[in-house]
Amino acid sequence: MNSLLRSTARCLRSGAAVFLPRQADGRVLSAPARLLCAAADNQKDLGEMVKKDKVVVFMKGTPAQPMCGFSNAVVQILRMHGVDDYAAYNVLDDQDLRQGVKDFSNWPTIPQVYFNGEFVGGCDILLQMHQNGDLVDELKKLGIHSALLDAEKESK
Amino acid sequence: MAITADHIRDKLIKELAAVHVDVEDTSPNRCAASFKVLVVSSQFEGKQLLQRHRMVNTCLAEELKEIHAFEQKTLTPEQWEKQKSQ
């Protein structure tokens, strides 16, 4: 699974590299045909990335080591609901992804959360969904049973 | 262009017909790099959270290019009254 994610990210990077032909790592592009539709590819790849996993998060840092308070908040909220199995993409690793995902969702900030390929929102929205109970329902629609439901039962 | 809390407040009042706006500069040394806003507008009625946030993002699209972090809360006047009474 992990390697699949990595290969998509790599694919996205090479597709978007046309905007920054001289990247620091001196990547050589070997598929010229791909360059012609690089911008479209970038968005198409993102379309596939967000659909491949039920829960997808674009964040700064990783779930194990978030590099921003807002990204950390998203990780903590998901953890509270027992959602551990999700795809997390670190936008700090990839400037093209960082801008690409903002264009894709028409949303100016990171983190960004997707459920079943649908844009849910950023940190504020996820937090409010957590507070008003909507998050439990939305997870249920994905077939994910929130761990908070069990915690409630135990405390009763 | 330096973005001020007043500028953000004025724009939200003007473009979203907000009846109440709180703007807080949340950057560590109040250097206008990050903001937290509360917007109360009847234009939010019947709209999902995501739509409301998109309205605010659209209104402040130019400013958000300069702002590093932005938190927002969007309420209808009715929700605002309810929250105040709690």
Side-chain angles (χ1 to χ4, degrees):
Chain A
M1 188 63 190
N2 262 335
S3 68
L4 198 71
L5 295 184
R6 266 197 299 276
S7 71
T8 310
R10 212 178 299 131
C11 167
L12 182 87
R13 272 199 292 274
S14 67
V18 67
F19 300 117
L20 296 161
R22 277 183 298 154
Q23 292 200 337
D25 63 357
R27 250 193 320 267
V28 180
L29 297 161
S30 56
R34 199 180 159 80
L35 295 180
L36 296 172
C37 52
D41 264 7
N42 191 335
Q43 297 295 305
K44 200 184 94 204
D45 286 342
L46 270 164
E48 284 164 12
M49 279 163 89
V50 300
K51 284 197 196 98
K52 214 165 48 194
D53 298 87
K54 279 185 192 171
V55 179
V56 176
V57 179
F58 294 89
M59 61 181 290
K60 292 182 179 173
T62 62
Q65 197 169 15
M67 300 298 282
C68 149
F70 302 108
S71 290
N72 183 41
V74 164
V75 169
Q76 299 307 330
I77 291 167
L78 290 174
R79 186 169 294 157
M80 263 189 271
H81 288 264
V83 184
D84 295 317
D85 185 22
Y86 58 93
Y89 296 93
N90 182 0
V91 302
L92 296 180
D93 276 352
D94 188 334
Q95 287 303 311
D96 297 325
L97 178 63
R98 187 174 181 171
Q99 187 55 47
V101 73
K102 289 180 185 178
D103 296 338
F104 178 75
S105 56
N106 186 27
W107 190 261
T109 49
I110 305 287
Q112 299 190 5
V113 180
Y114 287 79
F115 287 169
N116 263 351
E118 288 258 335
F119 180 59
V120 175
C123 172
D124 290 329
I125 289 183
L126 199 72
L127 182 61
Q128 282 171 61
M129 285 170 68
H130 165 67
Q131 287 165 342
N132 66 21
D134 284 353
L135 187 53
V136 169
D137 298 335
E138 290 302 316
L139 288 173
K140 198 189 239 170
K141 285 184 202 164
L142 303 178
I144 299 172
H145 180 81
S146 168
L148 282 187
L149 290 172
D150 301 333
E152 261 171 38
K153 257 183 239 156
E154 275 167 30
S155 66
K156 268 175 198 164
Chain B
M1 183 184 70
I3 293 155
T4 62
D6 283 342
H7 170 80
I8 291 176
R9 186 184 297 109
D10 291 348
K11 203 162 182 190
L12 289 167
I13 289 171
K14 200 171 138 207
E15 296 190 16
L16 294 180
V19 292
H20 179 92
V21 179
D22 282 336
V23 185
E24 186 190 338
D25 184 345
T26 52
S27 34
N29 46 2
R30 292 173 55 84
C31 59
S34 57
F35 290 96
K36 186 177 190 170
V37 301
L38 165 70
V39 189
V40 182
S41 167
S42 55
Q43 290 186 8
F44 294 145
E45 268 158 33
K47 293 200 172 70
Q48 300 275 337
L49 208 48
L50 182 60
Q51 276 176 287
R52 296 179 185 190
H53 282 221
R54 281 203 191 279
M55 287 164 71
V56 172
N57 288 344
T58 304
C59 173
L60 298 174
E62 283 304 310
E63 290 76 7
L64 286 174
K65 285 178 195 163
E66 313 288 327
I67 297 172
H68 173 71
F70 187 70
E71 291 170 75
Q72 56 172 304
K73 200 161 189 189
T74 47
L75 301 175
T76 62
E78 198 182 329
Q79 288 174 319
W80 170 233
E81 288 304 321
K82 210 168 141 192
Q83 184 169 310
K84 272 196 293 187
S85 65
Q86 271 169 5

